[in-house]
Amino acid sequence: MIDGNLLIGGKWVTKTEKIDVLNPSSGEIVGQVSKAGAVEAVEAVDVAYIAFPEWSKRTANERSELVMKWHDLIKAEASEIAQIMTAEQGKPLKEAIGEVLYANSFLAWYAEEGKRIYGETIPASFPNKRILVQKQPVGVIAAITPWNFPAAMITRKIAPALAAGCTAVIKPAEQTPLTALYLAKLALKAGIPAGVINVITGDPKEIGQAWMDDERVRKVTFTGSTEVGKLLMRQAADTVKKLSLELGGHAPFIVMNDADLEAAAEGAIASKFRNAGQTCVCANRIYVHEDVVDPFITKFIEKVRDLAVGDGFKETSDIGPLINEAAITKVVEQVQDAREKGASVLVGGNKISGLFFQPTVIAGATDEMLCMNEETFGPVAPISTFSTTEEVIRRANASRFGLAAYVFTEKLSTAIQISEALEYGIVGVNDALPSVAQAPFGGFKESGLGREGGHHGIEEFLETKYISIGF
Ligand code: ADP
């Protein structure tokens, strides 16, 4: 049982009121964290605000060294972190280890990128003037993160923020705070100064409101539901905060008639069933050209049948539990709706026990079905057929979301035509797992604002200052 306290100004602060952290696999309590509210949220901003001038004035090299020390400590304890993650989130241990490495790749990458925050000089309009453009850190930033990637969603935000010279207040998801607190502990151990990183757990509404009302918080970076993202956007208006939002997705996964079907089926498995389907870039709708639908389904369902459902700590498990009862209810409803509207369930289709759901394949999915429109966040793969490229592009784009999309084709011109026509921020062409630290991750439409990763990701934490010098 892990006891998690709040991290405020380099000190661990405990509250008598606690929140239980449950293992979704067994329902057992694996830890408790302090339940903070507005008071602690403001205290965290106080210390982050005080820490900002000193941290931001350090050289990029000094900050980089500390971020790399943090990275090295995480690397050394990757296995411990993964165990905490599996205990509170449920994902198979092999995926948890993969996430720790992925999370750490942001620290390594931004430790370097922080040294390349370049300005500009621009030719002036008069001989006795000079125009300089500088990039400066925005100030205190607030990061609000979800439960599906308890480590990576923290580092993807905090690595560029720290490298840019910002200080941070963080609120991890109430389901998975232990991973975040452990990472924060290692940040302190690495020598990242008190107040630069602060972690608050507790009431999301109260903490969120306190930060959104605070004019010292200059930027909010959020990953989570579209609903909460929209709320934060409204709340940000009063103090005109900068915002990055990574919200819901509804990824189309397109298999053309010239695709390598083995690679497409393998890709669909990787994209659909990672984290039991609980990622915002998971394939949600699989569109298969009518000429190849039968051989594709044969290959795909064979692989789905091989997926083992079970506790994340069991080495053989490929699919862990869903996060909570609401997640199960949603999946059950979507499968029932698809059945009622004429789809056939080829594999799975049922809850097993507790929070475990069978990996499920649905054939004959149509555009009216819930699963073809609403984010599933579970191990359900609906397959629909199409006849022409124009049709599949139109149907793929008919969504209020625009995060990730995938297309499998062996024809270069088709790859170019479709990837350019898709209204999505990320397109994987013959690639089901495109997320990496050096590339910009983010969505079109209601999937969000801004980008994380790459040089684009650090821009989100910088202000542009124009200095006009007369002499
Ligand atoms: P999900 O439905 O996947 O849990 P949420 O958007 O509810 O997604 O959660 C993502 C993050 O947003 C979590 O850290 C959660 O605590 C936080 N959150 C939820 N409601 C609010 C709110 N009203 N203000 C600020 N943060 C919130």
Side-chain angles (χ1 to χ4, degrees):
M1 167 104 159
I2 304 168
D3 198 14
N5 296 317
L6 314 170
L7 177 60
I8 304 177
K11 297 198 176 68
W12 296 99
V13 177
T14 190
K15 298 272 297 169
T16 41
E17 233 189 310
K18 305 282 183 192
I19 304 174
D20 288 339
V21 182
L22 306 178
N23 179 340
S25 176
S26 61
E28 280 167 21
I29 298 175
V30 291
Q32 279 192 325
V33 293
S34 286
K35 186 174 183 195
V39 172
E40 294 77 16
V42 171
E43 279 171 15
V45 178
D46 293 343
V47 293
Y49 192 69
I50 290 168
F52 176 71
E54 199 269 330
W55 179 248
S56 60
K57 284 194 181 70
R58 290 195 185 203
T59 63
N61 271 312
E62 282 179 77
R63 288 197 297 264
S64 165
E65 270 177 29
L66 290 174
V67 172
M68 268 320 278
K69 270 192 196 150
W70 189 18
H71 165 277
D72 294 345
L73 292 178
I74 292 175
K75 191 172 169 188
E77 298 205 31
S79 161
E80 287 82 347
I81 300 166
Q83 305 238 358
I84 295 172
M85 195 189 298
T86 293
E88 66 178 352
Q89 203 274 339
K91 67 177 64 181
L93 199 53
K94 56 193 170 194
E95 280 192 35
I97 288 170
E99 181 183 335
V100 177
L101 298 179
Y102 173 63
N104 228 5
S105 71
F106 287 93
L107 292 179
W109 203 80
Y110 281 110
E112 289 304 314
E113 191 62 10
K115 300 175 196 168
R116 290 185 275 270
I117 299 173
Y118 299 140
E120 287 172 79
T121 61
I122 297 174
S125 302
F126 304 97
N128 60 338
K129 282 196 172 191
R130 295 293 180 271
I131 295 174
L132 309 183
V133 179
Q134 280 186 359
K135 296 292 172 96
Q136 295 186 340
V138 295
V140 177
I141 68 107
I144 301 178
T145 58
W147 50 263
N148 60 345
F149 288 97
M153 294 304 101
I154 303 272
T155 56
R156 194 155 84 171
K157 293 170 165 45
I158 301 307
L162 261 52
C166 297
T167 56
V169 293
I170 305 167
K171 196 205 80 59
E174 49 277 30
Q175 296 89 342
T176 58
L178 301 173
T179 307
L181 289 167
Y182 200 85
L183 293 180
K185 189 176 103 177
L186 295 182
L188 279 189
K189 196 171 164 190
I192 291 175
V196 171
I197 291 179
N198 307 278
V199 185
I200 298 290
T201 52
D203 188 302
K205 279 200 187 108
E206 256 195 55
I207 295 167
Q209 187 77 56
W211 288 349
M212 299 313 287
D213 289 346
D214 197 320
E215 61 189 19
R216 296 170 300 173
V217 175
R218 293 315 315 150
K219 154 104 194 172
V220 173
T221 169
F222 169 80
T223 299
S225 63
T226 302
E227 188 195 349
V228 174
K230 287 180 181 178
L231 171 73
L232 296 176
M233 205 169 169
R234 283 187 213 104
Q235 291 176 329
D238 283 342
T239 52
V240 192
K241 292 189 204 314
K242 289 181 179 300
L243 273 181
S244 296
L245 303 173
E246 298 288 356
L247 310 178
H250 202 277
F253 187 105
I254 301 168
V255 182
M256 301 302 288
N257 55 0
D258 56 28
D260 173 339
L261 294 184
E262 180 58 30
E266 199 58 56
I269 295 283
S271 170
K272 174 70 253 180
F273 294 104
R274 194 159 59 110
N275 202 9
Q278 303 174 111
T279 91
C280 47
V281 293
C282 273
N284 240 283
R285 305 166 266 161
I286 302 178
Y287 296 108
V288 186
H289 192 279
E290 59 192 4
D291 292 353
V292 293
V293 70
D294 291 339
F296 174 82
I297 285 181
T298 306
K299 283 180 189 295
F300 185 57
I301 61 177
E302 202 176 298
K303 293 178 195 298
V304 174
R305 288 201 174 103
D306 282 345
L307 294 171
V309 181
D311 185 279
F313 284 107
K314 242 170 76 184
E315 219 168 287
T316 48
S317 297
D318 299 306
I319 299 196
L322 299 192
I323 193 70
N324 54 27
E325 203 54 52
I328 289 278
T329 306
K330 189 174 190 190
V331 171
V332 168
E333 271 171 16
Q334 287 199 1
V335 173
Q336 193 183 339
D337 170 82
R339 275 198 174 108
E340 280 165 11
K341 290 178 180 152
S344 39
V345 175
L346 303 183
V347 185
N350 298 304
K351 179 179 155 168
I352 302 169
S353 64
L355 298 177
F356 292 92
F357 197 90
Q358 292 175 319
T360 296
V361 180
I362 291 175
T366 57
D367 295 351
E368 305 74 52
M369 294 174 186
L370 285 177
C371 60
M372 297 294 276
N373 296 284
E374 283 181 13
E375 204 171 21
T376 305
F377 247 60
V380 178
I383 298 175
S384 189
T385 55
F386 67 92
S387 314
T388 66
T389 306
E390 290 67 30
E391 177 199 338
V392 79
I393 290 172
R394 178 180 52 73
R395 290 174 64 201
N397 284 340
S399 171
R400 67 189 172 102
F401 296 114
L403 189 56
Y406 306 90
V407 54
F408 277 71
T409 175
E410 291 296 287
K411 203 170 160 193
L412 183 61
S413 56
T414 307
I416 292 172
Q417 183 194 0
I418 297 182
S419 61
E420 291 185 356
L422 288 170
E423 295 162 0
Y424 288 79
I426 304 157
V427 180
V429 178
N430 299 327
D431 182 9
L433 300 170
S435 303
V436 285
Q438 66 272 35
F441 183 107
F444 285 17
K445 300 183 188 169
E446 291 184 30
S447 286
L449 289 178
R451 293 294 181 270
E452 292 185 322
H455 65 86
H456 319 78
I458 205 162
E459 284 292 330
E460 304 275 335
F461 296 96
L462 296 167
E463 284 281 17
T464 299
K465 182 175 282 177
Y466 156 42
I467 303 174
S468 180
I469 304 173
F471 55 96

mmCIF file of all heavy atoms in Angstrom, residues 268-304:
data_model
loop_
_atom_site.group_PDB
_atom_site.id
_atom_site.type_symbol
_atom_site.label_atom_id
_atom_site.label_comp_id
_atom_site.label_asym_id
_atom_site.label_seq_id
_atom_site.Cartn_x
_atom_site.Cartn_y
_atom_site.Cartn_z
ATOM 1 N N ALA A 268 -3.846 -3.239 -37.098
ATOM 2 C CA ALA A 268 -5.162 -3.012 -36.473
ATOM 3 C C ALA A 268 -5.162 -3.568 -35.045
ATOM 4 O O ALA A 268 -5.739 -2.971 -34.136
ATOM 5 C CB ALA A 268 -6.267 -3.667 -37.303
ATOM 6 N N ILE A 269 -4.495 -4.690 -34.844
ATOM 7 C CA ILE A 269 -4.392 -5.257 -33.487
ATOM 8 C C ILE A 269 -3.639 -4.281 -32.588
ATOM 9 O O ILE A 269 -4.083 -3.933 -31.492
ATOM 10 C CB ILE A 269 -3.647 -6.622 -33.510
ATOM 11 C CG1 ILE A 269 -4.444 -7.670 -34.275
ATOM 12 C CG2 ILE A 269 -3.290 -7.090 -32.089
ATOM 13 C CD1 ILE A 269 -5.617 -8.260 -33.541
ATOM 14 N N ALA A 270 -2.482 -3.821 -33.071
ATOM 15 C CA ALA A 270 -1.637 -2.925 -32.250
ATOM 16 C C ALA A 270 -2.385 -1.639 -31.935
ATOM 17 O O ALA A 270 -2.344 -1.139 -30.811
ATOM 18 C CB ALA A 270 -0.334 -2.629 -32.990
ATOM 19 N N SER A 271 -3.061 -1.108 -32.930
ATOM 20 C CA SER A 271 -3.726 0.180 -32.737
ATOM 21 C C SER A 271 -5.004 0.047 -31.904
ATOM 22 O O SER A 271 -5.283 0.879 -31.054
ATOM 23 C CB SER A 271 -4.070 0.772 -34.109
ATOM 24 O OG SER A 271 -4.899 1.886 -33.952
ATOM 25 N N LYS A 272 -5.745 -1.007 -32.144
ATOM 26 C CA LYS A 272 -7.050 -1.151 -31.477
ATOM 27 C C LYS A 272 -6.930 -1.631 -30.041
ATOM 28 O O LYS A 272 -7.629 -1.139 -29.158
ATOM 29 C CB LYS A 272 -7.931 -2.126 -32.279
ATOM 30 C CG LYS A 272 -9.266 -2.486 -31.657
ATOM 31 C CD LYS A 272 -10.246 -1.328 -31.667
ATOM 32 C CE LYS A 272 -10.494 -0.703 -30.353
ATOM 33 N NZ LYS A 272 -11.455 0.411 -30.382
ATOM 34 N N PHE A 273 -6.064 -2.601 -29.797
ATOM 35 C CA PHE A 273 -6.131 -3.290 -28.503
ATOM 36 C C PHE A 273 -5.084 -2.854 -27.480
ATOM 37 O O PHE A 273 -5.055 -3.369 -26.377
ATOM 38 C CB PHE A 273 -6.088 -4.808 -28.714
ATOM 39 C CG PHE A 273 -7.323 -5.303 -29.436
ATOM 40 C CD1 PHE A 273 -7.280 -5.658 -30.771
ATOM 41 C CD2 PHE A 273 -8.549 -5.360 -28.773
ATOM 42 C CE1 PHE A 273 -8.421 -6.089 -31.445
ATOM 43 C CE2 PHE A 273 -9.699 -5.788 -29.429
ATOM 44 C CZ PHE A 273 -9.631 -6.148 -30.772
ATOM 45 N N ARG A 274 -4.236 -1.883 -27.860
ATOM 46 C CA ARG A 274 -3.257 -1.377 -26.887
ATOM 47 C C ARG A 274 -4.007 -0.787 -25.703
ATOM 48 O O ARG A 274 -5.012 -0.100 -25.877
ATOM 49 C CB ARG A 274 -2.402 -0.295 -27.564
ATOM 50 C CG ARG A 274 -1.163 0.060 -26.813
ATOM 51 C CD ARG A 274 -0.172 0.708 -27.762
ATOM 52 N NE ARG A 274 -0.742 1.909 -28.369
ATOM 53 C CZ ARG A 274 -0.339 3.149 -28.081
ATOM 54 N NH1 ARG A 274 0.601 3.351 -27.188
ATOM 55 N NH2 ARG A 274 -0.863 4.175 -28.699
ATOM 56 N N ASN A 275 -3.539 -1.077 -24.520
ATOM 57 C CA ASN A 275 -4.180 -0.563 -23.304
ATOM 58 C C ASN A 275 -5.681 -0.886 -23.291
ATOM 59 O O ASN A 275 -6.505 -0.075 -22.880
ATOM 60 C CB ASN A 275 -3.937 0.944 -23.175
ATOM 61 C CG ASN A 275 -4.081 1.442 -21.744
ATOM 62 O OD1 ASN A 275 -4.192 0.648 -20.808
ATOM 63 N ND2 ASN A 275 -4.113 2.751 -21.578
ATOM 64 N N ALA A 276 -6.032 -2.069 -23.795
ATOM 65 C CA ALA A 276 -7.424 -2.536 -23.861
ATOM 66 C C ALA A 276 -8.317 -1.557 -24.633
ATOM 67 O O ALA A 276 -9.509 -1.452 -24.377
ATOM 68 C CB ALA A 276 -7.984 -2.775 -22.452
ATOM 69 N N GLY A 277 -7.711 -0.868 -25.586
ATOM 70 C CA GLY A 277 -8.494 0.073 -26.405
ATOM 71 C C GLY A 277 -8.672 1.428 -25.755
ATOM 72 O O GLY A 277 -9.420 2.259 -26.248
ATOM 73 N N GLN A 278 -7.937 1.660 -24.671
ATOM 74 C CA GLN A 278 -8.127 2.912 -23.928
ATOM 75 C C GLN A 278 -7.039 3.936 -24.244
ATOM 76 O O GLN A 278 -6.312 4.379 -23.360
ATOM 77 C CB GLN A 278 -8.153 2.622 -22.428
ATOM 78 C CG GLN A 278 -9.232 1.620 -22.035
ATOM 79 C CD GLN A 278 -9.138 1.231 -20.569
ATOM 80 O OE1 GLN A 278 -9.984 1.576 -19.775
ATOM 81 N NE2 GLN A 278 -8.093 0.525 -20.194
ATOM 82 N N THR A 279 -6.890 4.269 -25.523
ATOM 83 C CA THR A 279 -6.020 5.393 -25.875
ATOM 84 C C THR A 279 -6.804 6.274 -26.836
ATOM 85 O O THR A 279 -7.691 5.802 -27.544
ATOM 86 C CB THR A 279 -4.684 4.959 -26.546
ATOM 87 O OG1 THR A 279 -4.880 4.927 -27.968
ATOM 88 C CG2 THR A 279 -4.183 3.609 -26.059
ATOM 89 N N CYS A 280 -6.440 7.552 -26.861
ATOM 90 C CA CYS A 280 -7.209 8.467 -27.711
ATOM 91 C C CYS A 280 -6.836 8.318 -29.184
ATOM 92 O O CYS A 280 -7.500 8.872 -30.045
ATOM 93 C CB CYS A 280 -7.076 9.900 -27.225
ATOM 94 S SG CYS A 280 -5.396 10.341 -26.883
ATOM 95 N N VAL A 281 -5.769 7.554 -29.481
ATOM 96 C CA VAL A 281 -5.420 7.313 -30.886
ATOM 97 C C VAL A 281 -5.742 5.877 -31.331
ATOM 98 O O VAL A 281 -5.396 5.469 -32.428
ATOM 99 C CB VAL A 281 -3.933 7.639 -31.180
ATOM 100 C CG1 VAL A 281 -3.665 9.122 -31.043
ATOM 101 C CG2 VAL A 281 -2.998 6.844 -30.281
ATOM 102 N N CYS A 282 -6.425 5.126 -30.497
ATOM 103 C CA CYS A 282 -6.823 3.759 -30.870
ATOM 104 C C CYS A 282 -7.729 3.787 -32.105
ATOM 105 O O CYS A 282 -8.619 4.640 -32.204
ATOM 106 C CB CYS A 282 -7.661 3.129 -29.752
ATOM 107 S SG CYS A 282 -6.687 2.325 -28.484
ATOM 108 N N ALA A 283 -7.533 2.816 -33.000
ATOM 109 C CA ALA A 283 -8.459 2.666 -34.120
ATOM 110 C C ALA A 283 -9.866 2.502 -33.539
ATOM 111 O O ALA A 283 -10.068 1.693 -32.636
ATOM 112 C CB ALA A 283 -8.091 1.434 -34.927
ATOM 113 N N ASN A 284 -10.796 3.283 -34.038
ATOM 114 C CA ASN A 284 -12.167 3.162 -33.545
ATOM 115 C C ASN A 284 -13.081 2.551 -34.581
ATOM 116 O O ASN A 284 -14.029 1.859 -34.249
ATOM 117 C CB ASN A 284 -12.709 4.539 -33.165
ATOM 118 C CG ASN A 284 -13.104 4.612 -31.713
ATOM 119 O OD1 ASN A 284 -14.144 4.120 -31.321
ATOM 120 N ND2 ASN A 284 -12.251 5.186 -30.904
ATOM 121 N N ARG A 285 -12.793 2.897 -35.858
ATOM 122 C CA ARG A 285 -13.632 2.397 -36.960
ATOM 123 C C ARG A 285 -12.690 1.803 -37.983
ATOM 124 O O ARG A 285 -11.794 2.493 -38.469
ATOM 125 C CB ARG A 285 -14.340 3.569 -37.655
ATOM 126 C CG ARG A 285 -15.151 4.445 -36.782
ATOM 127 C CD ARG A 285 -15.497 5.748 -37.537
ATOM 128 N NE ARG A 285 -14.554 6.815 -37.274
ATOM 129 C CZ ARG A 285 -14.391 7.891 -38.040
ATOM 130 N NH1 ARG A 285 -15.078 8.039 -39.160
ATOM 131 N NH2 ARG A 285 -13.523 8.828 -37.719
ATOM 132 N N ILE A 286 -12.883 0.560 -38.319
ATOM 133 C CA ILE A 286 -12.012 -0.062 -39.322
ATOM 134 C C ILE A 286 -12.795 -0.153 -40.632
ATOM 135 O O ILE A 286 -13.836 -0.803 -40.699
ATOM 136 C CB ILE A 286 -11.543 -1.457 -38.855
ATOM 137 C CG1 ILE A 286 -10.811 -1.316 -37.501
ATOM 138 C CG2 ILE A 286 -10.647 -2.112 -39.902
ATOM 139 C CD1 ILE A 286 -10.326 -2.625 -36.903
ATOM 140 N N TYR A 287 -12.310 0.566 -41.632
ATOM 141 C CA TYR A 287 -12.951 0.543 -42.955
ATOM 142 C C TYR A 287 -12.108 -0.338 -43.873
ATOM 143 O O TYR A 287 -10.923 -0.063 -44.088
ATOM 144 C CB TYR A 287 -12.988 1.953 -43.556
ATOM 145 C CG TYR A 287 -13.834 2.946 -42.781
ATOM 146 C CD1 TYR A 287 -13.248 3.960 -42.032
ATOM 147 C CD2 TYR A 287 -15.227 2.898 -42.830
ATOM 148 C CE1 TYR A 287 -14.015 4.889 -41.344
ATOM 149 C CE2 TYR A 287 -16.005 3.825 -42.143
ATOM 150 C CZ TYR A 287 -15.396 4.813 -41.403
ATOM 151 O OH TYR A 287 -16.157 5.726 -40.727
ATOM 152 N N VAL A 288 -12.730 -1.381 -44.399
ATOM 153 C CA VAL A 288 -11.977 -2.302 -45.261
ATOM 154 C C VAL A 288 -12.621 -2.322 -46.645
ATOM 155 O O VAL A 288 -13.862 -2.433 -46.770
ATOM 156 C CB VAL A 288 -11.963 -3.737 -44.669
ATOM 157 C CG1 VAL A 288 -11.047 -4.642 -45.491
ATOM 158 C CG2 VAL A 288 -11.509 -3.711 -43.217
ATOM 159 N N HIS A 289 -11.782 -2.222 -47.679
ATOM 160 C CA HIS A 289 -12.312 -2.248 -49.044
ATOM 161 C C HIS A 289 -13.057 -3.557 -49.268
ATOM 162 O O HIS A 289 -12.580 -4.625 -48.857
ATOM 163 C CB HIS A 289 -11.175 -2.084 -50.054
ATOM 164 C CG HIS A 289 -11.684 -1.813 -51.424
ATOM 165 N ND1 HIS A 289 -12.134 -2.816 -52.251
ATOM 166 C CD2 HIS A 289 -11.867 -0.648 -52.098
ATOM 167 C CE1 HIS A 289 -12.559 -2.289 -53.397
ATOM 168 N NE2 HIS A 289 -12.410 -0.970 -53.320
ATOM 169 N N GLU A 290 -14.200 -3.470 -49.947
ATOM 170 C CA GLU A 290 -15.066 -4.659 -50.108
ATOM 171 C C GLU A 290 -14.351 -5.831 -50.792
ATOM 172 O O GLU A 290 -14.657 -6.986 -50.526
ATOM 173 C CB GLU A 290 -16.352 -4.287 -50.864
ATOM 174 C CG GLU A 290 -16.098 -3.716 -52.239
ATOM 175 C CD GLU A 290 -17.330 -3.086 -52.871
ATOM 176 O OE1 GLU A 290 -18.386 -3.024 -52.221
ATOM 177 O OE2 GLU A 290 -17.232 -2.639 -54.033
ATOM 178 N N ASP A 291 -13.372 -5.532 -51.666
ATOM 179 C CA ASP A 291 -12.657 -6.615 -52.368
ATOM 180 C C ASP A 291 -11.835 -7.485 -51.420
ATOM 181 O O ASP A 291 -11.496 -8.622 -51.763
ATOM 182 C CB ASP A 291 -11.653 -6.027 -53.385
ATOM 183 C CG ASP A 291 -12.343 -5.345 -54.539
ATOM 184 O OD1 ASP A 291 -13.591 -5.448 -54.624
ATOM 185 O OD2 ASP A 291 -11.639 -4.687 -55.333
ATOM 186 N N VAL A 292 -11.401 -6.893 -50.281
ATOM 187 C CA VAL A 292 -10.465 -7.651 -49.419
ATOM 188 C C VAL A 292 -11.025 -7.892 -48.010
ATOM 189 O O VAL A 292 -10.302 -8.331 -47.124
ATOM 190 C CB VAL A 292 -9.088 -6.926 -49.321
ATOM 191 C CG1 VAL A 292 -8.378 -6.935 -50.667
ATOM 192 C CG2 VAL A 292 -9.226 -5.508 -48.780
ATOM 193 N N VAL A 293 -12.314 -7.592 -47.845
ATOM 194 C CA VAL A 293 -12.847 -7.676 -46.481
ATOM 195 C C VAL A 293 -12.785 -9.105 -45.919
ATOM 196 O O VAL A 293 -12.424 -9.299 -44.750
ATOM 197 C CB VAL A 293 -14.265 -7.048 -46.374
ATOM 198 C CG1 VAL A 293 -15.320 -7.891 -47.085
ATOM 199 C CG2 VAL A 293 -14.635 -6.817 -44.904
ATOM 200 N N ASP A 294 -13.074 -10.109 -46.748
ATOM 201 C CA ASP A 294 -13.087 -11.476 -46.217
ATOM 202 C C ASP A 294 -11.695 -11.939 -45.777
ATOM 203 O O ASP A 294 -11.525 -12.379 -44.633
ATOM 204 C CB ASP A 294 -13.711 -12.451 -47.232
ATOM 205 C CG ASP A 294 -15.215 -12.185 -47.378
ATOM 206 O OD1 ASP A 294 -15.788 -11.582 -46.448
ATOM 207 O OD2 ASP A 294 -15.786 -12.522 -48.421
ATOM 208 N N PRO A 295 -10.684 -11.826 -46.668
ATOM 209 C CA PRO A 295 -9.351 -12.247 -46.191
ATOM 210 C C PRO A 295 -8.850 -11.397 -45.021
ATOM 211 O O PRO A 295 -8.176 -11.920 -44.125
ATOM 212 C CB PRO A 295 -8.441 -12.091 -47.417
ATOM 213 C CG PRO A 295 -9.215 -11.308 -48.414
ATOM 214 C CD PRO A 295 -10.665 -11.509 -48.106
ATOM 215 N N PHE A 296 -9.192 -10.109 -45.005
ATOM 216 C CA PHE A 296 -8.743 -9.275 -43.870
ATOM 217 C C PHE A 296 -9.355 -9.788 -42.574
ATOM 218 O O PHE A 296 -8.665 -9.978 -41.570
ATOM 219 C CB PHE A 296 -9.109 -7.797 -44.079
ATOM 220 C CG PHE A 296 -8.789 -6.949 -42.866
ATOM 221 C CD1 PHE A 296 -7.503 -6.472 -42.642
ATOM 222 C CD2 PHE A 296 -9.775 -6.666 -41.904
ATOM 223 C CE1 PHE A 296 -7.183 -5.737 -41.500
ATOM 224 C CE2 PHE A 296 -9.473 -5.930 -40.754
ATOM 225 C CZ PHE A 296 -8.174 -5.468 -40.563
ATOM 226 N N ILE A 297 -10.667 -10.034 -42.617
ATOM 227 C CA ILE A 297 -11.351 -10.485 -41.391
ATOM 228 C C ILE A 297 -10.784 -11.821 -40.915
ATOM 229 O O ILE A 297 -10.556 -12.023 -39.719
ATOM 230 C CB ILE A 297 -12.885 -10.536 -41.616
ATOM 231 C CG1 ILE A 297 -13.441 -9.115 -41.614
ATOM 232 C CG2 ILE A 297 -13.564 -11.389 -40.535
ATOM 233 C CD1 ILE A 297 -14.943 -8.994 -41.806
ATOM 234 N N THR A 298 -10.517 -12.720 -41.860
ATOM 235 C CA THR A 298 -9.958 -14.017 -41.466
ATOM 236 C C THR A 298 -8.654 -13.840 -40.693
ATOM 237 O O THR A 298 -8.453 -14.423 -39.619
ATOM 238 C CB THR A 298 -9.696 -14.887 -42.731
ATOM 239 O OG1 THR A 298 -10.914 -14.954 -43.464
ATOM 240 C CG2 THR A 298 -9.211 -16.277 -42.379
ATOM 241 N N LYS A 299 -7.763 -13.008 -41.257
ATOM 242 C CA LYS A 299 -6.466 -12.778 -40.575
ATOM 243 C C LYS A 299 -6.672 -12.076 -39.238
ATOM 244 O O LYS A 299 -6.052 -12.422 -38.228
ATOM 245 C CB LYS A 299 -5.572 -11.889 -41.452
ATOM 246 C CG LYS A 299 -4.932 -12.606 -42.611
ATOM 247 C CD LYS A 299 -4.078 -11.626 -43.418
ATOM 248 C CE LYS A 299 -3.586 -12.253 -44.708
ATOM 249 N NZ LYS A 299 -2.665 -13.372 -44.507
ATOM 250 N N PHE A 300 -7.548 -11.055 -39.244
ATOM 251 C CA PHE A 300 -7.723 -10.223 -38.055
ATOM 252 C C PHE A 300 -8.306 -11.037 -36.894
ATOM 253 O O PHE A 300 -7.787 -11.008 -35.779
ATOM 254 C CB PHE A 300 -8.627 -9.037 -38.422
ATOM 255 C CG PHE A 300 -8.812 -8.022 -37.325
ATOM 256 C CD1 PHE A 300 -7.716 -7.384 -36.751
ATOM 257 C CD2 PHE A 300 -10.089 -7.678 -36.890
ATOM 258 C CE1 PHE A 300 -7.884 -6.433 -35.747
ATOM 259 C CE2 PHE A 300 -10.276 -6.728 -35.883
ATOM 260 C CZ PHE A 300 -9.164 -6.105 -35.311
ATOM 261 N N ILE A 301 -9.361 -11.792 -37.163
ATOM 262 C CA ILE A 301 -10.002 -12.491 -36.038
ATOM 263 C C ILE A 301 -9.116 -13.609 -35.478
ATOM 264 O O ILE A 301 -9.146 -13.906 -34.300
ATOM 265 C CB ILE A 301 -11.441 -12.994 -36.333
ATOM 266 C CG1 ILE A 301 -11.482 -13.985 -37.457
ATOM 267 C CG2 ILE A 301 -12.398 -11.861 -36.577
ATOM 268 C CD1 ILE A 301 -12.906 -14.529 -37.687
ATOM 269 N N GLU A 302 -8.292 -14.154 -36.342
ATOM 270 C CA GLU A 302 -7.340 -15.168 -35.852
ATOM 271 C C GLU A 302 -6.411 -14.533 -34.803
ATOM 272 O O GLU A 302 -6.142 -15.114 -33.752
ATOM 273 C CB GLU A 302 -6.517 -15.647 -37.050
ATOM 274 C CG GLU A 302 -5.882 -16.991 -36.872
ATOM 275 C CD GLU A 302 -5.186 -17.384 -38.162
ATOM 276 O OE1 GLU A 302 -5.881 -17.519 -39.203
ATOM 277 O OE2 GLU A 302 -3.955 -17.494 -38.121
ATOM 278 N N LYS A 303 -5.958 -13.330 -35.087
ATOM 279 C CA LYS A 303 -5.059 -12.631 -34.151
ATOM 280 C C LYS A 303 -5.810 -12.186 -32.900
ATOM 281 O O LYS A 303 -5.275 -12.237 -31.793
ATOM 282 C CB LYS A 303 -4.429 -11.408 -34.830
ATOM 283 C CG LYS A 303 -3.479 -11.760 -35.961
ATOM 284 C CD LYS A 303 -2.924 -10.521 -36.621
ATOM 285 C CE LYS A 303 -2.270 -10.850 -37.949
ATOM 286 N NZ LYS A 303 -1.111 -11.752 -37.855
ATOM 287 N N VAL A 304 -7.066 -11.779 -33.081
ATOM 288 C CA VAL A 304 -7.842 -11.336 -31.912
ATOM 289 C C VAL A 304 -8.066 -12.522 -30.970
ATOM 290 O O VAL A 304 -7.967 -12.381 -29.752
ATOM 291 C CB VAL A 304 -9.188 -10.699 -32.349
ATOM 292 C CG1 VAL A 304 -10.057 -10.387 -31.136
ATOM 293 C CG2 VAL A 304 -8.955 -9.436 -33.167
#
